[in-house]
Amino acid sequence: MTGTTLVWLRNDLRIADNPALSAALKHGMARAVHIEATDGRLRRRGAASRWWLHHSLNRLAEELAQLGVALDTVEGEAQTELFKAIAAHGSDAVYWNRRYGRAEREIDAAIKARLKREGIATESFAANVLVEPFEMATGTGKPYSVYTPFWNALKKQDIAKPLPRPRHGETIRPQRVDSDYREADWGRKLGRHWQIGEAAARERLDRFLDELVLDYPGDRDIPRKAATSGLSPHLAFGEISPRQVWHAAQAMAQHAPAKASAIDKFLSELGWRDFNYNQLYHRDDIATVPMVAKYGGLKWRHADAAFEAWQRGRTGIPIIDAGMREMWETGVMHNRVRMLTASLLAKNLLIDWRKGEQWFWDTLVDADAANNPGNWQWVAGSGLDASPYFRIFNPVTQGERFDPAGDYVRRWVPEVAGLPDKLVHQPWEAPDAAALDYPAPIVDLKVSRERALEAFKAL
DNA sequence: TGTAGCTTTTG
DNA sequence: AAAAGCTAC
């Protein structure tokens, strides 16, 4: 008989396909700990993520209790808190699933070294990406810098089959998650839009594959439609693993060949997540350093009033304001509108993309350390295989193309709801524009487009 | 996964 | 006159 194995949970808040948890239960008695780490080198979670985390941990504690596993939740420096938990429970082994940021890897490596010195068994597992970044390299041994060859190589890899839910142990009473978290109005508002936790994630995946995926390629760009999977926050917290998504989707493609090409399109978007994790793994700090060095020379404008108008959804450009308000209200924003709002900030407004990235980090429930900065760098042109600098979205044209009847804009920007379709994306053209309770646009799209082309071309 | 300005084609 | 095609940014 062995002692207690401690499972150190991070962004892997699930029971099924959790290799560290499964291995610990095989080993004998298990306990779990989640440490909200305050290490200075780690990026602090944003406000929307803290809300989601609180509820996700509560759901997980109930699930773990059914397996006889207690979950402790603490806040503090990672190494200190982990060794406190080891001492408190007399653990003789510590397991975790790997993470890929540089600071996280260094912290984990230091802890692993200390565990070895102290004679405590330790093991880490692959769990949170399709293929681990160090398994992916081009023919010349370098990290991929272009998505398409990365994706083609990824598809050829043997993607691990997800592990089943581990067998039940003795059910225990769930721990109350111990934190000073207090539900604020904002959290109650977000709560109207989400079911949190592993079971909800699985239901969402199944419903998407059953009912939505066939129309995904055609409808995914239409923000009015709920045509996307909606899995992003569940993936960000590891309530579902990308391997589970991958294999469920492949099984559906086998079972329903008519859906195969749509499923391939969907999975290629999941592939971007792995591509972003590859960037995170190989670079110092994806959230602050341009992946392509020459973009570091761009002279960003300091325009506080414009930035605040952007944050609050008061730019006077309906589809931009709709997106920013959708994010504030629900904790997510439709993907196409993310591209539009980011392009407006980084290009038309020439405001540093890192400011926008930080706002998204704070307000998105799906804020992800690789995807959020990776996608911002993509839009800003400084990322790997990024959008070319001269691609500057026109939010009027984009609105007319992807929200032709104006439903999306009318939902989030009631000030323009009464305008006819032709004007709803450019209310400033309305004869009685001044009478609307809606700001005039904070930038001239044509002039600011020219300015951005100049600034980027100069690099 | 773009836009704008121009030219050419089409009805 | 509008749609479609082409090309620089």
Side-chain angles (χ1 to χ4, degrees), chain A residues 110-172:
Chain A
I111 288 172
K112 189 170 270 192
R114 180 170 159 198
L115 289 167
K116 284 188 177 149
R117 282 199 304 277
E118 298 189 9
I120 297 167
T122 174
E123 204 171 336
S124 67
F125 300 86
N128 296 325
V129 288
L130 294 168
V131 177
E132 296 195 280
F134 43 78
E135 304 286 349
M136 296 293 294
T138 65
T140 60
K142 292 202 190 118
Y144 282 95
S145 57
V146 183
Y147 181 66
T148 302
F150 174 86
W151 170 236
N152 289 332
L154 185 71
K155 281 194 284 192
K156 289 198 193 105
Q157 293 264 351
D158 189 21
I159 300 196
K161 283 259 159 50
L163 299 172
R165 290 177 70 89
R167 267 184 298 142
H168 277 229
E170 286 284 297
T171 299
I172 59 167

Side-chain angles (χ1 to χ4, degrees), chain A residues 339-414:
Chain A
M339 293 194 286
L340 303 182
T341 54
S343 171
L344 187 92
L345 188 81
K347 292 184 171 173
N348 298 87
L349 292 172
L350 277 178
I351 292 174
D352 194 332
W353 62 268
R354 286 167 289 209
K355 290 191 71 173
E357 193 275 339
Q358 183 62 45
W359 180 247
F360 275 34
W361 180 258
D362 280 335
T363 52
L364 285 170
V365 292
D366 65 18
D368 177 288
N371 286 331
N372 194 50
N375 289 333
W376 268 93
Q377 294 222 30
W378 186 88
V379 173
S382 64
L384 298 186
D385 205 10
S387 180
Y389 76 88
F390 49 78
R391 183 181 294 163
I392 299 170
F393 290 101
N394 181 321
V396 177
T397 312
Q398 289 280 311
E400 288 167 350
R401 188 178 305 164
F402 295 109
D403 186 34
D407 310 271
Y408 176 74
V409 148
R410 288 195 178 91
R411 174 172 177 199
W412 294 108
V413 188

Side-chain angles (χ1 to χ4, degrees), chain A residues 7-20 33-37 42-46 49-50 52-54 56-57 60 71 95-101 104 108 125-129 232-242 244 273 277 280 361 365-371:
Chain A
V7 181
W8 181 16
L9 292 167
R10 292 93 72 91
N11 282 346
D12 47 6
L13 305 182
R14 62 180 178 273
I15 306 285
D17 197 34
N18 189 323
V33 64
H34 181 274
I35 302 166
E36 188 61 0
L42 295 179
R43 189 171 193 186
R44 297 305 304 275
R45 216 180 278 281
S49 292
R50 284 198 292 277
W52 188 290
L53 175 71
H54 172 80
S56 192
L57 286 171
L60 184 66
L71 170 65
Y95 292 172
W96 64 73
N97 297 313
R98 285 190 283 276
R99 47 190 185 172
Y100 303 99
E104 287 85 348
D108 293 356
F125 300 86
N128 296 325
V129 288
S232 57
H234 301 296
L235 281 164
F237 286 89
E239 294 173 356
I240 197 165
S241 76
Q244 290 175 296
R273 181 179 180 278
Y277 271 90
L280 176 74
W361 180 258
V365 292
D366 65 18
D368 177 288
N371 286 331

